[in-house]
Amino acid sequence: MNQPEGKLSRVIVYGGNSEQVDISREIRYPALGNITLEILRDKNQDTVGIGLNYFSGTNLETSHFF
């Protein structure tokens, strides 16, 4: 089995059914390593929310959602 190489930089999660995606959540992991950026989009790909999460090690320190 192949093992992935490098670092995780982005995850996209889709919500809906087999016929239509209703919403997507894109989670980005910048190179800094202590923050994640979450972007929520509706079925038309319009941005409906943005979240910022700040970490200290593996502990979530602060979370903001706009």
Side-chain angles (χ1 to χ4, degrees):
M1 178 182 281
N2 291 332
Q3 297 294 322
E5 294 181 16
K7 294 184 178 186
L8 180 66
S9 63
R10 181 174 72 159
V11 172
I12 301 177
V13 179
Y14 298 97
N17 59 36
S18 61
E19 296 178 13
Q20 178 176 309
V21 173
D22 294 319
I23 195 161
S24 67
R25 176 184 297 254
E26 180 178 349
I27 306 168
R28 292 187 173 255
Y29 300 89
L32 297 173
N34 65 340
I35 185 173
T36 61
L37 169 66
E38 297 189 28
I39 304 167
L40 277 65
R41 293 188 175 100
D42 66 12
K43 63 183 175 184
N44 298 317
Q45 290 298 299
D46 292 327
T47 302
V48 295
I50 295 177
L52 293 170
N53 299 306
Y54 297 91
F55 295 88
S56 175
T58 58
N59 297 321
L60 178 63
E61 293 291 323
T62 310
S63 182
H64 303 282
F65 185 77
F66 309 95

Short mmCIF file of all heavy atoms in Angstrom, two decimals:
data_model
loop_
_atom_site.label_atom_id
_atom_site.label_comp_id
_atom_site.label_asym_id
_atom_site.label_seq_id
_atom_site.Cartn_x
_atom_site.Cartn_y
_atom_site.Cartn_z
N MET A 1 0.84 -1.16 0.00
CA MET A 1 0.00 0.00 0.00
C MET A 1 0.89 1.24 0.00
O MET A 1 1.86 1.32 0.75
CB MET A 1 -0.91 -0.01 1.22
CG MET A 1 -1.79 1.21 1.31
SD MET A 1 -2.82 1.25 2.79
CE MET A 1 -4.10 0.14 2.28
N ASN A 2 0.56 2.20 -0.82
CA ASN A 2 1.31 3.46 -0.87
C ASN A 2 0.96 4.32 0.33
O ASN A 2 -0.18 4.36 0.77
CB ASN A 2 1.00 4.23 -2.15
CG ASN A 2 1.55 3.54 -3.37
OD1 ASN A 2 2.54 2.84 -3.29
ND2 ASN A 2 0.91 3.77 -4.50
N GLN A 3 1.94 5.02 0.84
CA GLN A 3 1.74 5.96 1.93
C GLN A 3 1.87 7.37 1.38
O GLN A 3 2.77 7.64 0.60
CB GLN A 3 2.79 5.74 3.03
CG GLN A 3 2.70 4.39 3.70
CD GLN A 3 1.41 4.23 4.49
OE1 GLN A 3 0.94 5.15 5.11
NE2 GLN A 3 0.83 3.05 4.44
N PRO A 4 0.98 8.29 1.80
CA PRO A 4 1.10 9.67 1.31
C PRO A 4 2.36 10.33 1.82
O PRO A 4 2.87 9.99 2.88
CB PRO A 4 -0.15 10.35 1.87
CG PRO A 4 -0.60 9.49 2.99
CD PRO A 4 -0.13 8.12 2.71
N GLU A 5 2.86 11.26 1.03
CA GLU A 5 4.05 12.02 1.42
C GLU A 5 3.69 13.49 1.53
O GLU A 5 2.75 13.96 0.90
CB GLU A 5 5.15 11.83 0.38
CG GLU A 5 5.66 10.42 0.33
CD GLU A 5 6.77 10.25 -0.69
OE1 GLU A 5 7.34 11.27 -1.12
OE2 GLU A 5 7.06 9.12 -1.05
N GLY A 6 4.44 14.24 2.32
CA GLY A 6 4.21 15.66 2.46
C GLY A 6 3.26 15.97 3.59
O GLY A 6 3.00 15.14 4.46
N LYS A 7 2.71 17.19 3.56
CA LYS A 7 1.83 17.64 4.62
C LYS A 7 0.44 17.89 4.07
O LYS A 7 0.29 18.31 2.93
CB LYS A 7 2.36 18.92 5.26
CG LYS A 7 3.66 18.71 6.00
CD LYS A 7 4.10 19.97 6.68
CE LYS A 7 5.38 19.72 7.46
NZ LYS A 7 5.77 20.87 8.26
N LEU A 8 -0.55 17.67 4.91
CA LEU A 8 -1.93 17.95 4.54
C LEU A 8 -2.13 19.45 4.46
O LEU A 8 -1.77 20.19 5.36
CB LEU A 8 -2.88 17.36 5.60
CG LEU A 8 -4.37 17.57 5.37
CD1 LEU A 8 -4.81 16.81 4.12
CD2 LEU A 8 -5.15 17.09 6.57
N SER A 9 -2.68 19.93 3.34
CA SER A 9 -2.88 21.37 3.19
C SER A 9 -4.35 21.75 3.00
O SER A 9 -4.72 22.88 3.24
CB SER A 9 -2.08 21.91 2.01
OG SER A 9 -2.52 21.33 0.80
N ARG A 10 -5.22 20.76 2.60
CA ARG A 10 -6.61 21.11 2.37
C ARG A 10 -7.48 19.86 2.41
O ARG A 10 -7.10 18.80 1.94
CB ARG A 10 -6.74 21.78 1.01
CG ARG A 10 -8.14 22.19 0.67
CD ARG A 10 -8.17 22.96 -0.61
NE ARG A 10 -7.93 22.08 -1.74
CZ ARG A 10 -8.28 22.35 -2.98
NH1 ARG A 10 -8.85 23.48 -3.27
NH2 ARG A 10 -8.04 21.50 -3.93
N VAL A 11 -8.68 20.02 2.99
CA VAL A 11 -9.70 18.97 3.02
C VAL A 11 -11.01 19.61 2.56
O VAL A 11 -11.32 20.73 2.96
CB VAL A 11 -9.89 18.41 4.45
CG1 VAL A 11 -11.07 17.46 4.51
CG2 VAL A 11 -8.63 17.73 4.93
N ILE A 12 -11.76 18.92 1.71
CA ILE A 12 -13.07 19.41 1.30
C ILE A 12 -14.11 18.36 1.65
O ILE A 12 -13.96 17.19 1.30
CB ILE A 12 -13.13 19.72 -0.20
CG1 ILE A 12 -12.08 20.76 -0.58
CG2 ILE A 12 -14.53 20.22 -0.59
CD1 ILE A 12 -12.02 21.08 -2.06
N VAL A 13 -15.16 18.78 2.37
CA VAL A 13 -16.25 17.89 2.78
C VAL A 13 -17.52 18.38 2.09
O VAL A 13 -17.82 19.57 2.12
CB VAL A 13 -16.44 17.93 4.32
CG1 VAL A 13 -17.58 17.02 4.73
CG2 VAL A 13 -15.15 17.55 5.03
N TYR A 14 -18.23 17.45 1.46
CA TYR A 14 -19.45 17.80 0.75
C TYR A 14 -20.66 17.25 1.48
O TYR A 14 -20.63 16.14 1.99
CB TYR A 14 -19.43 17.22 -0.67
CG TYR A 14 -18.30 17.76 -1.52
CD1 TYR A 14 -17.11 17.07 -1.67
CD2 TYR A 14 -18.44 18.99 -2.16
CE1 TYR A 14 -16.08 17.57 -2.44
CE2 TYR A 14 -17.41 19.50 -2.94
CZ TYR A 14 -16.24 18.78 -3.07
OH TYR A 14 -15.22 19.29 -3.84
N GLY A 15 -21.76 18.05 1.52
CA GLY A 15 -23.00 17.61 2.14
C GLY A 15 -24.12 17.67 1.12
O GLY A 15 -24.21 18.61 0.34
N GLY A 16 -24.96 16.67 1.11
CA GLY A 16 -26.06 16.61 0.16
C GLY A 16 -26.45 15.16 -0.07
O GLY A 16 -26.34 14.33 0.81
N ASN A 17 -26.86 14.87 -1.29
CA ASN A 17 -27.19 13.49 -1.64
C ASN A 17 -26.54 13.14 -2.97
O ASN A 17 -25.74 13.92 -3.49
CB ASN A 17 -28.72 13.29 -1.67
CG ASN A 17 -29.40 14.21 -2.67
OD1 ASN A 17 -28.87 14.50 -3.73
ND2 ASN A 17 -30.59 14.67 -2.32
N SER A 18 -26.90 12.00 -3.53
CA SER A 18 -26.25 11.54 -4.76
C SER A 18 -26.59 12.39 -5.97
O SER A 18 -25.93 12.30 -7.00
CB SER A 18 -26.60 10.08 -5.02
OG SER A 18 -27.99 9.94 -5.18
N GLU A 19 -27.60 13.22 -5.87
CA GLU A 19 -28.01 14.04 -7.00
C GLU A 19 -27.53 15.49 -6.91
O GLU A 19 -27.43 16.17 -7.93
CB GLU A 19 -29.54 14.03 -7.14
CG GLU A 19 -30.08 12.64 -7.45
CD GLU A 19 -31.59 12.62 -7.53
OE1 GLU A 19 -32.21 13.69 -7.60
OE2 GLU A 19 -32.13 11.51 -7.52
N GLN A 20 -27.27 15.98 -5.70
CA GLN A 20 -26.92 17.40 -5.56
C GLN A 20 -26.10 17.65 -4.31
O GLN A 20 -26.40 17.12 -3.25
CB GLN A 20 -28.20 18.23 -5.48
CG GLN A 20 -27.96 19.71 -5.28
CD GLN A 20 -29.26 20.49 -5.30
OE1 GLN A 20 -30.05 20.34 -6.20
NE2 GLN A 20 -29.48 21.30 -4.28
N VAL A 21 -25.09 18.48 -4.45
CA VAL A 21 -24.31 18.95 -3.31
C VAL A 21 -24.99 20.20 -2.78
O VAL A 21 -25.19 21.16 -3.51
CB VAL A 21 -22.85 19.25 -3.70
CG1 VAL A 21 -22.11 19.90 -2.55
CG2 VAL A 21 -22.14 17.99 -4.16
N ASP A 22 -25.39 20.19 -1.51
CA ASP A 22 -26.07 21.34 -0.91
C ASP A 22 -25.11 22.33 -0.28
O ASP A 22 -25.37 23.53 -0.26
CB ASP A 22 -27.08 20.87 0.15
CG ASP A 22 -28.22 20.09 -0.47
OD1 ASP A 22 -28.71 20.50 -1.55
OD2 ASP A 22 -28.62 19.07 0.12
N ILE A 23 -24.01 21.83 0.26
CA ILE A 23 -23.04 22.70 0.94
C ILE A 23 -21.67 22.01 0.93
O ILE A 23 -21.59 20.78 0.89
CB ILE A 23 -23.49 23.04 2.38
CG1 ILE A 23 -22.69 24.21 2.93
CG2 ILE A 23 -23.41 21.82 3.28
CD1 ILE A 23 -23.34 24.89 4.12
N SER A 24 -20.62 22.81 0.95
CA SER A 24 -19.28 22.25 1.07
C SER A 24 -18.52 23.04 2.13
O SER A 24 -18.77 24.21 2.35
CB SER A 24 -18.53 22.30 -0.27
OG SER A 24 -18.26 23.62 -0.65
N ARG A 25 -17.62 22.35 2.79
CA ARG A 25 -16.75 22.96 3.80
C ARG A 25 -15.32 22.65 3.39
O ARG A 25 -14.91 21.49 3.33
CB ARG A 25 -17.03 22.39 5.18
CG ARG A 25 -16.10 22.92 6.26
CD ARG A 25 -16.34 22.25 7.59
NE ARG A 25 -17.68 22.52 8.06
CZ ARG A 25 -17.98 23.34 9.05
NH1 ARG A 25 -17.02 23.95 9.70
NH2 ARG A 25 -19.22 23.54 9.41
N GLU A 26 -14.57 23.69 3.11
CA GLU A 26 -13.16 23.56 2.75
C GLU A 26 -12.33 23.96 3.96
O GLU A 26 -12.51 25.05 4.49
CB GLU A 26 -12.84 24.45 1.55
CG GLU A 26 -11.40 24.37 1.13
CD GLU A 26 -11.13 25.23 -0.09
OE1 GLU A 26 -12.07 25.73 -0.73
OE2 GLU A 26 -9.94 25.41 -0.39
N ILE A 27 -11.46 23.07 4.40
CA ILE A 27 -10.60 23.35 5.54
C ILE A 27 -9.17 23.44 5.02
O ILE A 27 -8.66 22.49 4.43
CB ILE A 27 -10.72 22.25 6.61
CG1 ILE A 27 -12.18 22.05 7.02
CG2 ILE A 27 -9.85 22.60 7.83
CD1 ILE A 27 -12.42 20.82 7.85
N ARG A 28 -8.56 24.57 5.22
CA ARG A 28 -7.17 24.79 4.78
C ARG A 28 -6.25 24.80 5.99
O ARG A 28 -6.58 25.35 7.03
CB ARG A 28 -7.05 26.09 4.01
CG ARG A 28 -7.77 26.04 2.69
CD ARG A 28 -7.49 27.28 1.88
NE ARG A 28 -8.05 27.14 0.56
CZ ARG A 28 -7.33 26.89 -0.53
NH1 ARG A 28 -6.02 26.78 -0.44
NH2 ARG A 28 -7.92 26.77 -1.70
N TYR A 29 -5.08 24.22 5.81
CA TYR A 29 -4.07 24.14 6.86
C TYR A 29 -2.83 24.89 6.38
O TYR A 29 -1.96 24.31 5.74
CB TYR A 29 -3.72 22.67 7.15
CG TYR A 29 -4.89 21.85 7.60
CD1 TYR A 29 -5.71 21.19 6.67
CD2 TYR A 29 -5.21 21.75 8.93
CE1 TYR A 29 -6.81 20.45 7.10
CE2 TYR A 29 -6.29 21.00 9.37
CZ TYR A 29 -7.08 20.36 8.43
OH TYR A 29 -8.16 19.62 8.85
N PRO A 30 -2.73 26.20 6.65
CA PRO A 30 -1.57 26.98 6.20
C PRO A 30 -0.26 26.43 6.78
O PRO A 30 -0.25 25.73 7.78
CB PRO A 30 -1.85 28.39 6.73
CG PRO A 30 -3.33 28.44 6.92
CD PRO A 30 -3.71 27.04 7.34
N ALA A 31 0.82 26.82 6.16
CA ALA A 31 2.15 26.34 6.56
C ALA A 31 2.52 26.72 7.98
O ALA A 31 3.38 26.08 8.58
CB ALA A 31 3.20 26.87 5.58
N LEU A 32 1.89 27.76 8.54
CA LEU A 32 2.21 28.17 9.91
C LEU A 32 2.00 27.04 10.90
O LEU A 32 2.71 26.93 11.88
CB LEU A 32 1.34 29.36 10.33
CG LEU A 32 1.53 30.65 9.54
CD1 LEU A 32 0.50 31.68 9.95
CD2 LEU A 32 2.94 31.18 9.75
N GLY A 33 0.97 26.21 10.69
CA GLY A 33 0.74 25.04 11.53
C GLY A 33 -0.09 25.27 12.77
O GLY A 33 -0.48 24.33 13.42
N ASN A 34 -0.40 26.52 13.12
CA ASN A 34 -1.17 26.75 14.34
C ASN A 34 -2.53 27.38 14.05
O ASN A 34 -3.17 27.91 14.95
CB ASN A 34 -0.38 27.64 15.31
CG ASN A 34 -0.15 29.03 14.77
OD1 ASN A 34 -0.24 29.27 13.57
ND2 ASN A 34 0.17 29.95 15.65
N ILE A 35 -3.00 27.30 12.81
CA ILE A 35 -4.27 27.90 12.42
C ILE A 35 -4.93 27.06 11.33
O ILE A 35 -4.24 26.40 10.55
CB ILE A 35 -4.04 29.35 11.92
CG1 ILE A 35 -5.35 30.05 11.64
CG2 ILE A 35 -3.13 29.38 10.72
CD1 ILE A 35 -5.20 31.53 11.31
N THR A 36 -6.25 27.03 11.33
CA THR A 36 -6.99 26.46 10.21
C THR A 36 -7.99 27.50 9.73
O THR A 36 -8.50 28.30 10.52
CB THR A 36 -7.75 25.16 10.56
OG1 THR A 36 -8.71 25.44 11.58
CG2 THR A 36 -6.81 24.07 11.01
N LEU A 37 -8.25 27.49 8.45
CA LEU A 37 -9.22 28.37 7.83
C LEU A 37 -10.32 27.49 7.25
O LEU A 37 -10.03 26.54 6.51
CB LEU A 37 -8.56 29.18 6.72
CG LEU A 37 -9.48 29.97 5.80
CD1 LEU A 37 -10.19 31.08 6.57
CD2 LEU A 37 -8.70 30.55 4.63
N GLU A 38 -11.59 27.76 7.61
CA GLU A 38 -12.72 26.99 7.09
C GLU A 38 -13.59 27.90 6.24
O GLU A 38 -13.93 29.00 6.65
CB GLU A 38 -13.54 26.41 8.24
CG GLU A 38 -12.74 25.44 9.07
CD GLU A 38 -13.60 24.70 10.07
OE1 GLU A 38 -14.81 24.52 9.84
OE2 GLU A 38 -13.04 24.31 11.11
N ILE A 39 -13.92 27.43 5.04
CA ILE A 39 -14.75 28.19 4.12
C ILE A 39 -15.98 27.35 3.79
O ILE A 39 -15.85 26.23 3.29
CB ILE A 39 -13.98 28.52 2.83
CG1 ILE A 39 -12.69 29.27 3.16
CG2 ILE A 39 -14.86 29.32 1.87
CD1 ILE A 39 -11.72 29.35 2.01
N LEU A 40 -17.16 27.89 4.10
CA LEU A 40 -18.42 27.21 3.79
C LEU A 40 -19.02 27.83 2.54
O LEU A 40 -19.11 29.06 2.43
CB LEU A 40 -19.41 27.34 4.94
CG LEU A 40 -19.25 26.34 6.08
CD1 LEU A 40 -17.96 26.52 6.81
CD2 LEU A 40 -20.42 26.41 6.99
N ARG A 41 -19.45 26.96 1.60
CA ARG A 41 -20.07 27.43 0.36
C ARG A 41 -21.39 26.70 0.15
O ARG A 41 -21.50 25.52 0.47
CB ARG A 41 -19.14 27.18 -0.82
CG ARG A 41 -17.88 28.01 -0.78
CD ARG A 41 -17.08 27.88 -2.06
NE ARG A 41 -15.95 28.76 -2.06
CZ ARG A 41 -14.71 28.39 -1.77
NH1 ARG A 41 -14.46 27.13 -1.48
NH2 ARG A 41 -13.74 29.26 -1.79
N ASP A 42 -22.36 27.43 -0.42
CA ASP A 42 -23.65 26.81 -0.72
C ASP A 42 -23.60 26.10 -2.07
O ASP A 42 -22.54 26.01 -2.70
CB ASP A 42 -24.79 27.84 -0.66
CG ASP A 42 -24.70 28.91 -1.73
OD1 ASP A 42 -23.90 28.78 -2.69
OD2 ASP A 42 -25.46 29.90 -1.63
N LYS A 43 -24.73 25.57 -2.52
CA LYS A 43 -24.76 24.78 -3.75
C LYS A 43 -24.40 25.58 -4.99
O LYS A 43 -24.04 25.02 -6.01
CB LYS A 43 -26.12 24.12 -3.93
CG LYS A 43 -27.26 25.07 -4.09
CD LYS A 43 -28.56 24.33 -4.18
CE LYS A 43 -29.73 25.30 -4.21
NZ LYS A 43 -31.00 24.57 -4.20
N ASN A 44 -24.46 26.92 -4.90
CA ASN A 44 -24.06 27.78 -6.01
C ASN A 44 -22.61 28.23 -5.91
O ASN A 44 -22.16 29.09 -6.65
CB ASN A 44 -24.97 29.01 -6.08
CG ASN A 44 -26.41 28.63 -6.32
OD1 ASN A 44 -26.70 27.77 -7.15
ND2 ASN A 44 -27.32 29.25 -5.59
N GLN A 45 -21.88 27.69 -4.94
CA GLN A 45 -20.48 28.01 -4.66
C GLN A 45 -20.30 29.43 -4.12
O GLN A 45 -19.20 29.99 -4.18
CB GLN A 45 -19.59 27.78 -5.88
CG GLN A 45 -19.42 26.32 -6.22
CD GLN A 45 -18.73 25.56 -5.10
OE1 GLN A 45 -17.60 25.86 -4.74
NE2 GLN A 45 -19.40 24.59 -4.53
N ASP A 46 -21.38 30.03 -3.58
CA ASP A 46 -21.28 31.32 -2.90
C ASP A 46 -20.76 31.07 -1.48
O ASP A 46 -21.21 30.14 -0.80
CB ASP A 46 -22.64 32.01 -2.82
CG ASP A 46 -23.13 32.47 -4.18
OD1 ASP A 46 -22.30 32.84 -5.03
OD2 ASP A 46 -24.36 32.45 -4.40
N THR A 47 -19.84 31.89 -1.02
CA THR A 47 -19.32 31.77 0.33
C THR A 47 -20.37 32.22 1.33
O THR A 47 -20.87 33.33 1.24
CB THR A 47 -18.03 32.60 0.50
OG1 THR A 47 -17.06 32.15 -0.45
CG2 THR A 47 -17.46 32.47 1.91
N VAL A 48 -20.72 31.34 2.27
CA VAL A 48 -21.74 31.66 3.28
C VAL A 48 -21.16 31.74 4.69
O VAL A 48 -21.86 32.10 5.62
CB VAL A 48 -22.92 30.66 3.22
CG1 VAL A 48 -23.66 30.78 1.91
CG2 VAL A 48 -22.45 29.23 3.45
N GLY A 49 -19.89 31.41 4.85
CA GLY A 49 -19.26 31.51 6.16
C GLY A 49 -17.77 31.26 6.09
O GLY A 49 -17.29 30.54 5.21
N ILE A 50 -17.05 31.88 7.01
CA ILE A 50 -15.60 31.69 7.12
C ILE A 50 -15.27 31.52 8.60
O ILE A 50 -15.76 32.27 9.44
CB ILE A 50 -14.83 32.89 6.55
CG1 ILE A 50 -15.06 33.00 5.04
CG2 ILE A 50 -13.34 32.77 6.84
CD1 ILE A 50 -14.40 34.17 4.40
N GLY A 51 -14.47 30.54 8.90
CA GLY A 51 -14.06 30.30 10.27
C GLY A 51 -12.55 30.28 10.40
O GLY A 51 -11.84 29.85 9.49
N LEU A 52 -12.05 30.79 11.52
CA LEU A 52 -10.63 30.76 11.85
C LEU A 52 -10.46 30.06 13.18
O LEU A 52 -11.14 30.40 14.15
CB LEU A 52 -10.06 32.17 11.94
CG LEU A 52 -10.02 32.97 10.65
CD1 LEU A 52 -9.65 34.43 10.96
CD2 LEU A 52 -9.02 32.37 9.69
N ASN A 53 -9.59 29.09 13.24
CA ASN A 53 -9.30 28.36 14.47
C ASN A 53 -7.82 28.47 14.77
O ASN A 53 -6.99 28.19 13.91
CB ASN A 53 -9.68 26.88 14.32
CG ASN A 53 -11.15 26.71 14.04
OD1 ASN A 53 -11.99 27.20 14.77
ND2 ASN A 53 -11.47 26.02 12.96
N TYR A 54 -7.49 28.88 15.98
CA TYR A 54 -6.10 29.03 16.42
C TYR A 54 -5.78 27.94 17.43
O TYR A 54 -6.54 27.72 18.37
CB TYR A 54 -5.88 30.41 17.04
CG TYR A 54 -6.10 31.53 16.07
CD1 TYR A 54 -7.35 32.12 15.93
CD2 TYR A 54 -5.05 32.00 15.28
CE1 TYR A 54 -7.56 33.16 15.03
CE2 TYR A 54 -5.25 33.04 14.38
CZ TYR A 54 -6.50 33.61 14.26
OH TYR A 54 -6.71 34.62 13.36
N PHE A 55 -4.63 27.30 17.26
CA PHE A 55 -4.23 26.18 18.10
C PHE A 55 -2.94 26.48 18.85
O PHE A 55 -2.08 27.21 18.37
CB PHE A 55 -4.03 24.93 17.25
CG PHE A 55 -5.28 24.43 16.61
CD1 PHE A 55 -5.68 24.91 15.37
CD2 PHE A 55 -6.06 23.49 17.25
CE1 PHE A 55 -6.85 24.46 14.78
CE2 PHE A 55 -7.23 23.02 16.67
CZ PHE A 55 -7.62 23.50 15.42
N SER A 56 -2.81 25.85 20.01
CA SER A 56 -1.55 25.80 20.74
C SER A 56 -1.23 24.31 20.87
O SER A 56 -1.84 23.61 21.67
CB SER A 56 -1.70 26.45 22.11
OG SER A 56 -0.52 26.30 22.85
N GLY A 57 -0.33 23.85 20.04
CA GLY A 57 -0.10 22.41 19.95
C GLY A 57 -1.33 21.75 19.37
O GLY A 57 -1.80 22.12 18.31
N THR A 58 -1.91 20.79 20.09
CA THR A 58 -3.13 20.13 19.63
C THR A 58 -4.38 20.71 20.28
O THR A 58 -5.49 20.25 20.02
CB THR A 58 -3.08 18.61 19.91
OG1 THR A 58 -2.90 18.42 21.31
CG2 THR A 58 -1.95 17.95 19.13
N ASN A 59 -4.21 21.72 21.14
CA ASN A 59 -5.34 22.33 21.85
C ASN A 59 -5.89 23.51 21.09
O ASN A 59 -5.14 24.42 20.70
CB ASN A 59 -4.93 22.78 23.25
CG ASN A 59 -4.51 21.63 24.13
OD1 ASN A 59 -5.09 20.57 24.08
ND2 ASN A 59 -3.48 21.85 24.93
N LEU A 60 -7.22 23.55 20.90
CA LEU A 60 -7.89 24.69 20.29
C LEU A 60 -7.90 25.83 21.29
O LEU A 60 -8.41 25.70 22.40
CB LEU A 60 -9.32 24.32 19.88
CG LEU A 60 -10.15 25.44 19.27
CD1 LEU A 60 -9.54 25.91 17.95
CD2 LEU A 60 -11.58 24.95 19.07
N GLU A 61 -7.30 26.97 20.92
CA GLU A 61 -7.23 28.12 21.80
C GLU A 61 -8.39 29.10 21.55
O GLU A 61 -9.02 29.57 22.47
CB GLU A 61 -5.90 28.85 21.62
CG GLU A 61 -4.71 28.04 22.09
CD GLU A 61 -4.67 27.88 23.60
OE1 GLU A 61 -5.02 28.83 24.32
OE2 GLU A 61 -4.26 26.80 24.06
N THR A 62 -8.62 29.45 20.29
CA THR A 62 -9.64 30.43 19.92
C THR A 62 -10.28 30.01 18.61
O THR A 62 -9.59 29.51 17.72
CB THR A 62 -9.00 31.83 19.72
OG1 THR A 62 -8.19 32.15 20.84
CG2 THR A 62 -10.06 32.89 19.55
N SER A 63 -11.59 30.25 18.50
CA SER A 63 -12.31 29.95 17.27
C SER A 63 -13.23 31.11 16.95
O SER A 63 -13.95 31.61 17.81
CB SER A 63 -13.11 28.66 17.44
OG SER A 63 -13.78 28.34 16.24
N HIS A 64 -13.19 31.57 15.70
CA HIS A 64 -14.05 32.66 15.23
C HIS A 64 -14.78 32.19 13.98
O HIS A 64 -14.21 31.50 13.15
CB HIS A 64 -13.22 33.90 14.87
CG HIS A 64 -12.38 34.41 15.98
ND1 HIS A 64 -12.88 35.15 17.02
CD2 HIS A 64 -11.05 34.28 16.22
CE1 HIS A 64 -11.91 35.46 17.84
NE2 HIS A 64 -10.79 34.94 17.38
N PHE A 65 -16.05 32.58 13.86
CA PHE A 65 -16.82 32.24 12.67
C PHE A 65 -17.55 33.48 12.20
O PHE A 65 -18.19 34.17 12.99
CB PHE A 65 -17.82 31.11 12.96
CG PHE A 65 -18.55 30.65 11.74
CD1 PHE A 65 -17.93 29.83 10.83
CD2 PHE A 65 -19.85 31.09 11.48
CE1 PHE A 65 -18.59 29.42 9.68
CE2 PHE A 65 -20.50 30.68 10.35
CZ PHE A 65 -19.89 29.84 9.46
N PHE A 66 -17.42 33.79 10.94
CA PHE A 66 -18.05 34.98 10.37
C PHE A 66 -19.02 34.57 9.29
O PHE A 66 -18.80 33.64 8.58
CB PHE A 66 -16.99 35.90 9.76
CG PHE A 66 -15.87 36.21 10.69
CD1 PHE A 66 -14.69 35.47 10.65
CD2 PHE A 66 -15.97 37.22 11.62
CE1 PHE A 66 -13.64 35.74 11.52
CE2 PHE A 66 -14.92 37.52 12.49
CZ PHE A 66 -13.76 36.77 12.42
#
